[in-house]
Structures are given as C-alpha cells and as structure tokens.
Amino acid sequence: MDINDLDEDEEFGFSRNYFLAKEMRGSGKKKSAQKLSDIDVVDEQELRVAVSNIETKHEKEIHTLLTSYKSLYPKWVFELRCGFGLLMYGFGSKKALLEDFASTELTNCGVIVINGYLQSINVKNVVATLAEILWEQLKTRRRSSAGSTSKVQKPSSFQSMEDLLAFLDGSDAKQNDCFVCVVIHNIDGPGLRDSESQQYLARLASCSNVRVVASIDHVNTALLWDKKMVHTQFNWCWYHVPTFAPYKVEGVFLPLILACSGTAQNAKTAAIVLQSLTPNAQSVFKVLAQHQLAHSDEEGMPINNLYTTCRERFLVSSQMTLNSHLTEFKDHELIKTRRHSDGQDCVYVPLTSEAITKLLEEIG
C-alpha cells in the first residue's frame, strides 16, 4: 500500500472522530442526570480516621530532604538581618521546616507564630503582641547596659494600630540591632486572605524592627499583592523548598469533599449540581432560596408566587418555563414539594438555613 494512502486514511479517521465528537456534544444538551444522592459521601469522622491511618511513604527521603535545607539556615538568618523577608513555597507542608528554623536559629530574638490556615485571625492582637515582645527586648538590653527604660512608652498604653506600627518602626531598636520575627504558616490561608489583613501584614513587614518568615501553598497567592507590597514592604526572598510532607495540621480545619459533614458538605454537593445547570435555572433557584431564608417560618414558597417573582425579574417567560426548571430541580433532589395548609402547592429547599446561606455563597 502506498504511504500516501495511509496518510489519507489517517486524516479521514481523524475527521470522522472530530464530527462524531461534535455530534455527541450536541446530543448532550438534554438535562443532566446528576442527583445529590448520586454523590457518594461518608461520615466525616470515619473518613478522617481512615486518612490518618494511611501509611506515609518515603519517610527517609523526606527526612533527608528536610535535613538538606538546614545548610541554608545561616543564609536565611543573614538575609533576615539585612531586612529581607523569607517566603517558602513548594509542594508539601512547610510547618515543621519553619518551626525548626525558628527554634534553632532565631533564639536571640522574639518570635511569634501565626497559623494562617485557621478560619479567623485577629491581626491587631498579633501586632500588639509583637510590640510587647520588642519592648521587653529593649528593656532587657537597656538593663544590661545600665540604661533606663523610662524613655520608651509601654505598647499596652497604645490604643490604635497606627501607634503600634509606629513603635515597631521606631529608630530606638535600630541602634540596638534588635528585631522581632513573625513566622506565618500559610500567609495565603483563609484567615488572612482578605485585602485588609494583607495590607496590615505588608505594613508590619515593612517595619524596621520586624522580620517575616512565611509559607504559601495556593497557586494564586501572588494575586494578593501588588508590586509595592512584594518588592518594598514584604521585600521577599523566594525559596523553593518542597517537603512532600502531608498537610496533616493544615487540613484539619478544611471540610473533606468526600465526607458528609453536615452544613458545609450539603452546600458543597448542592453547588456541584447547580453549577451544571443553566444560569437562568440557577437564578430561579436563588429566588426560592432567598425567599426561604427570609421566611423560615413558612412551609415553603407557593408556586404561583415564585412564578410572579421570576417573571418580574425576567427569569421566565411562561409558567411552562418555570415548570421545566422545577422539574429539573426535583430530578436533582434540590427541592421538594408539599401542600400548604391553605391548599396551595409549595416548593422548598430541603436544607438548613445555614446550609442555604453557604450554598448561595458557593454559587454567588
């Protein structure tokens, strides 16, 4: 057979497969068969026990890798003294690495640890604690040099964040080569991800008497900062330090996607189903969910009222359109119907108010 004939057959096969794929894609426009009950979930506690019993692999290799990073400790200390911040990234938990570095190399300065993987953190309390630690260091050094501590006002008397930051950026400690260090596990964590927290952390890092050592794990972390924050305030030295260690502590506070953990998981699984529906269908569902949150004492939303509201918002053009959406919701087990005490048919979302709120945030 001629080689040209083989090329033509191969090209024909490719073209045929392309049009078959397009045809199958077009036929997939019919409604999805996904249901909440189709998502196989287990009890969260049971799943966490199973995860904790998984045998860690390559323990020796991970230990060797962590040990190899110790040769960088003197360089990291030197960079901190020069006014830089250290930012660690790479696959695996860096918690043990940062804490080992702090406990072995930063013993001469005050250290405070922030667990950014927690859900909420009070940044002002962190700044106030740092100011107290710095004041104690200055007090100790003045004592050893027979000086007086009356010249420096105690941070506990400061009322505002500006006063605390001004104290941490004061010139008095510069002359004593004195600084405090902040170790932040997951500076991109949920408790620190908002703009206000990042702005305060950047200002804190720019203080002359503060040094920051932090870790990141989110792929979009760099989007939290502008050019000024990265190069002027944080003044990062980036280090790729993959540890391949499991995120045991960091993951405790996150809901397991395969676990039936109540409110959070019900909202997440419902969001997965809703995201497979059309934008109009999602908007109709939002109307029902918002009504249920506002009238939690009622038995549901009468279908006639739902139709009137959706028509006013130009979400449906006829009762038939609304019925098709409701049928789809029922098929996916997102809503249920029941007879109101006055005889009207009502629809409702079979979730708690807290779960509905989380669901609206998920699809918001």
Side-chain angles (χ1 to χ4, degrees):
M1 182 181 290
D2 188 16
I3 190 169
N4 291 328
D5 293 335
L6 288 173
D7 292 340
E8 289 178 3
D9 289 342
E10 185 178 349
E11 184 177 351
F12 173 76
F14 174 79
S15 302
R16 182 172 179 274
N17 290 337
Y18 171 78
F19 287 107
L20 281 173
K22 292 286 285 184
E23 183 180 350
M24 292 176 66
R25 182 181 177 186
S27 64
K29 291 182 179 178
K30 60 184 180 180
K31 65 183 181 182
S32 169
Q34 285 183 300
K35 297 179 182 178
L36 285 176
S37 58
D38 293 337
I39 301 176
D40 189 19
V41 293
V42 297
D43 179 71
E44 181 174 10
Q45 188 60 34
E46 182 182 345
L47 185 57
R48 289 197 183 277
V49 171
V51 170
S52 65
N53 290 331
I54 295 176
E55 183 180 352
T56 304
K57 297 182 179 180
H58 311 295
E59 285 187 352
K60 291 183 180 179
E61 290 82 356
I62 290 175
H63 177 73
T64 303
L65 186 62
L66 290 174
T67 303
S68 69
Y69 294 142
K70 292 187 177 182
S71 63
L72 296 172
Y73 284 5
K75 182 180 180 182
W76 292 353
V77 172
F78 175 75
E79 288 170 341
L80 287 175
R81 291 194 173 278
C82 289
F84 292 96
L86 303 177
L87 187 65
M88 313 298 179
Y89 69 98
F91 181 79
S93 172
K94 291 159 282 295
K95 190 173 188 298
L97 174 64
L98 266 60
E99 291 183 353
D100 181 68
F101 168 66
S103 62
T104 56
E105 302 294 330
L106 301 178
T107 54
N108 293 329
C109 66
V111 178
I112 184 172
V113 178
I114 302 176
N115 295 319
Y117 49 79
L118 299 178
Q119 296 299 317
S120 60
I121 297 169
N122 191 319
V123 177
K124 184 174 181 180
N125 286 347
V126 171
V127 176
T129 304
L130 281 172
E132 290 283 349
I133 293 174
L134 179 63
W135 187 82
E136 289 292 339
Q137 284 188 359
L138 292 174
K139 179 180 174 182
T140 303
R141 294 200 177 198
R142 281 201 184 89
R143 249 184 218 158
S144 62
S145 60
S148 172
T149 60
S150 59
K151 297 179 182 178
V152 182
Q153 187 179 359
K154 195 170 183 179
S156 58
S157 62
F158 298 150
Q159 297 297 319
S160 69
M161 179 75 89
E162 298 300 326
D163 291 337
L164 291 168
L165 290 171
F167 173 77
L168 290 169
D169 196 32
S171 60
D172 189 77
K174 290 181 187 176
Q175 301 169 358
N176 292 278
D177 187 29
C178 187
F179 65 84
V180 290
C181 188
V182 190
V183 176
I184 309 176
H185 300 302
N186 294 101
I187 195 173
D188 52 355
L192 298 172
R193 203 171 289 167
D194 60 285
S195 177
E196 183 181 16
S197 294
Q198 290 296 325
Q199 289 289 343
Y200 275 129
L201 289 175
R203 290 182 60 190
L204 181 65
S206 67
C207 292
S208 58
N209 307 314
V210 177
R211 302 292 183 271
V212 176
V213 181
S215 66
I216 59 173
D217 283 294
H218 199 286
V219 67
N220 292 323
T221 297
L223 298 178
L224 295 173
W225 309 316
D226 56 31
K227 187 175 181 180
K228 176 186 176 184
M229 294 169 72
V230 172
H231 298 294
T232 305
Q233 294 179 304
F234 284 119
N235 203 15
W236 292 128
C237 284
W238 296 68
Y239 280 96
H240 184 224
V241 285
T243 65
F244 302 98
Y247 295 94
K248 288 184 177 179
V249 178
E250 296 92 329
V252 168
F253 303 94
L254 298 175
L256 299 175
I257 195 169
L258 297 177
C260 182
S261 59
T263 298
Q265 186 57 34
N266 288 337
K268 188 172 289 292
T269 52
I272 293 171
V273 175
L274 272 173
Q275 285 163 1
S276 69
L277 305 181
T278 64
N280 260 21
Q282 292 179 29
S283 297
V284 171
F285 183 85
K286 286 179 185 178
V287 171
L288 174 60
Q290 289 166 353
H291 177 274
Q292 186 163 321
L293 287 176
H295 305 84
S296 56
D297 56 333
E298 296 183 1
E299 298 175 77
M301 188 174 188
I303 294 178
N304 290 337
N305 294 355
L306 178 61
Y307 172 67
T308 301
T309 304
C310 291
R311 188 178 174 84
E312 289 173 352
R313 299 185 186 183
F314 301 101
L315 300 177
V316 298
S317 56
S318 66
Q319 183 73 47
M320 187 180 298
T321 306
L322 176 63
N323 289 341
S324 66
H325 287 318
L326 295 179
T327 301
E328 198 162 24
F329 296 156
K330 290 176 187 175
D331 290 343
H332 294 151
E333 298 180 353
L334 291 170
I335 66 169
K336 291 185 178 181
T337 59
R338 59 185 166 200
R339 186 64 58 87
H340 197 273
S341 54
D342 62 1
Q344 295 187 81
D345 287 330
C346 296
V347 289
Y348 68 97
V349 182
L351 296 173
T352 64
S353 296
E354 187 181 354
I356 293 174
T357 302
K358 289 186 177 294
L359 173 58
L360 291 176
E361 290 174 358
E362 289 275 348
I363 65 174

